[in-house]
Amino acid sequence: IESEVTNMSNKRTILLFVVLAYGFAWIIWLALWLSGVGLNSPWIQLASIVAMWMPALAVFILGKITNQPSGIKSKLVVKLKSNWRFYLLAIWLPAVISFLGAGLYFLVFPSNFSLGFESIQAILQEKGVLQSPIPLSSVVLIQILASLTYAPFLNSLFALGEEIGWRGYLYPALRGRFSLVQTHVLLGLIWSLWHLPINLQGYNYGLTYFAYPVLGIVAMFLFCFSIGILLSWLMEKTGSIWASALFHGAINATAGLGLLFQLPGEKMSSLLIFGPSPAGIIGVLPCLFLALLILQRERKHHEFCK
């Protein structure tokens, strides 16, 4: 009976965390949506940064409600000396994943690829800049260098809020109740649907893709499921949420690099559901392949340990 009570308490705690994490973030996103604020508004950017910290806030409030320690503090320790290889992987593997995904996308849609950087020119013209003060190729080079150097560290400060919630609390909580595969599927589903209000506004995929919004929900699940496996793997290998936050920050920094080489236009926008970002159905395939390899290896390892 004691075990059943403990399990029920754990189940309710997990549900309460999900409700809080969704509720706090969705209130922010839905309020801006209903007020008519567009995706290009700086308010949306600010709201997204705040929303990324809502899972961490949910963990904090959950601890106050249940009066139970979250165990997050022990996961914020960085043991760099013994785990430096994994931190380097967290910084640069996302770039490899993003470029492979973009390459695969452009192999399928070669007519979308351009080295003229027309998409950057179109963005500048929207902002009233008729001519870039520096060559567009230099702009692209700066973007790539930033994504490989300081951007992962800067972005990790925002991604940490999500990682405290999803990997720091929810992953081990689900893992205590479900198998490894079930845990990753559930976490991928929960995390992907958490993005629903902003994705319905056109974030990531636009509004003109085939089978909107169903295909967008599927694409986001595949992305969150794939990335989630890599994030959890890094956290377990290093014992630190900072490793997953660094990877999360790096993937946010590199995900848009493929768009620099895509032609602008409505037709191209309707294909964002496929790529070139790793959140697209084609762009995610290299990440999904790597994630499934790691998942298979980890599953065998857990079975062997038993």
Side-chain angles (χ1 to χ4, degrees):
I1 295 174
E2 185 177 341
S3 176
E4 290 178 3
V5 171
T6 303
N7 287 337
M8 182 60 72
S9 174
N10 181 253
K11 186 177 180 180
R12 287 175 178 171
T13 304
I14 290 171
L15 183 59
L16 180 57
F17 164 78
V18 173
V19 169
L20 289 172
Y22 270 54
F24 294 147
W26 282 26
I27 285 171
I28 295 169
W29 282 326
L30 289 173
L32 288 175
W33 192 4
L34 293 173
S35 62
V37 175
L39 285 179
N40 293 327
S41 167
W43 287 107
I44 284 288
Q45 304 301 323
L46 179 62
S48 294
I49 291 171
V50 174
M52 289 177 78
W53 271 92
M54 293 303 99
L57 179 61
V59 173
F60 175 76
I61 292 177
L62 193 66
K64 295 296 183 182
I65 294 173
T66 62
N67 200 28
Q68 295 175 354
S70 64
I72 298 297
K73 284 185 179 180
S74 63
K75 295 174 184 173
L76 287 171
V77 177
V78 177
K79 297 177 181 177
L80 192 59
K81 189 175 180 180
S82 57
N83 296 307
W84 62 270
R85 293 179 184 84
F86 292 106
Y87 284 99
L88 287 180
L89 205 62
I91 296 169
W92 290 320
L93 180 59
V96 176
I97 289 171
S98 295
F99 276 115
L100 286 176
L104 191 60
Y105 167 82
F106 286 124
L107 280 175
V108 177
F109 300 105
S111 61
N112 292 4
F113 181 78
S114 173
L115 288 174
F117 311 121
E118 291 87 350
S119 59
I120 301 175
Q121 188 64 55
I123 293 170
L124 290 173
Q125 287 176 355
E126 282 180 11
K127 295 181 178 181
V129 180
L130 298 179
Q131 186 67 38
S132 173
I134 60 174
L136 294 181
S137 57
S138 298
V139 174
V140 171
L141 183 60
I142 291 168
Q143 290 276 353
I144 293 173
L145 288 175
S147 70
L148 295 174
T149 53
Y150 69 87
F153 295 95
L154 180 63
N155 288 354
S156 70
L157 300 177
F158 309 127
L160 182 64
E162 282 195 64
E163 292 310 304
I164 287 173
W166 306 132
R167 251 60 59 183
Y169 169 74
L170 189 56
Y171 174 76
L174 291 174
R175 189 69 187 93
R177 299 180 60 85
F178 300 100
S179 71
L180 188 63
V181 175
Q182 289 171 335
T183 296
H184 281 299
V185 170
L186 276 171
L187 184 53
L189 185 63
I190 292 167
W191 189 24
S192 63
L193 290 178
W194 179 76
H195 293 87
L196 190 60
I198 195 165
N199 279 342
L200 287 176
Q201 295 176 66
Y203 192 78
N204 283 321
Y205 309 115
L207 300 169
T208 59
Y209 60 85
F210 173 74
Y212 167 89
V214 176
L215 203 57
I217 294 171
V218 172
M220 199 64 194
F221 167 73
L222 289 174
F223 176 66
C224 289
F225 170 73
S226 306
I227 293 294
I229 291 171
L230 299 176
L231 292 169
S232 300
W233 177 75
L234 280 169
M235 185 188 70
E236 289 191 332
K237 289 295 182 183
T238 61
S240 176
I241 301 171
W242 277 109
S244 57
L246 197 55
F247 186 102
H248 193 154
I251 201 72
N252 285 348
T254 59
L257 292 180
L259 294 170
L260 300 173
F261 302 93
Q262 171 149 300
L263 289 168
E266 285 188 23
K267 182 183 176 183
M268 308 307 169
S269 296
S270 68
L271 295 174
L272 289 174
I273 190 68
F274 299 108
S277 90
I281 290 175
I282 294 174
V284 78
L285 292 178
C287 183
L288 178 60
F289 178 73
L290 178 60
L292 291 175
L293 281 180
I294 290 174
L295 184 58
Q296 178 66 8
R297 184 176 178 181
E298 292 298 295
R299 190 174 66 84
K300 287 183 177 179
H301 175 71
H302 284 292
E303 288 176 355
F304 178 77
C305 290
K306 288 180 181 179

